[in-house]
Amino acid sequence: HELRGGTLEFCRAALAKLEPGAPLCLIHAAHREADVLAALQECKLSVQRRVDVFARGKRKSIAFVCNTEPAGSDVEVEVLEVQDMEGRWTGQW
């Protein structure tokens, strides 16, 4: 999607097509977390679920499930460890 815009433009386009209460799922590189959260806030999308994805002990990606409904309380961050420190796939994955 970043060939024709960034995360904000993607969220705006999705918001125009979402039914009320329908989820929007984004998976992005962990170092872009601030960009994603800023875009979600500007589009008034609330994070309902979040999963931090780790490989070899480093957070690599973040999955966000959002919608236009207000978030109840602070969303608990779930952790998915896909590879251990030696690079072996985990049972969680």
Side-chain angles (χ1 to χ4, degrees), residues 14-92:
L15 187 59
K17 300 293 182 183
L18 284 176
E19 295 289 329
L24 170 65
C25 302
L26 297 168
I27 300 173
H28 222 307
H31 72 274
R32 298 288 304 277
E33 178 181 6
D35 297 336
V36 173
L37 292 174
L40 295 174
Q41 183 176 0
E42 181 157 328
C43 291
K44 296 181 177 41
L45 289 162
S46 299
V47 177
Q48 304 295 327
R49 183 175 180 198
R50 174 185 165 149
V51 179
D52 286 2
V53 181
F54 284 79
R56 296 180 183 231
K58 294 184 181 179
R59 187 174 67 156
K60 298 291 187 174
S61 303
I62 305 172
F64 297 94
V65 179
C66 314
N67 63 29
T68 55
E69 298 171 1
S73 59
D74 287 338
V75 175
E76 185 176 329
V77 176
E78 299 173 49
V79 174
L80 174 61
E81 187 82 39
V82 297
Q83 287 181 310
D84 65 18
M85 294 301 285
E86 287 76 42
R88 292 182 300 252
W89 297 108
T90 65
Q92 207 180 7

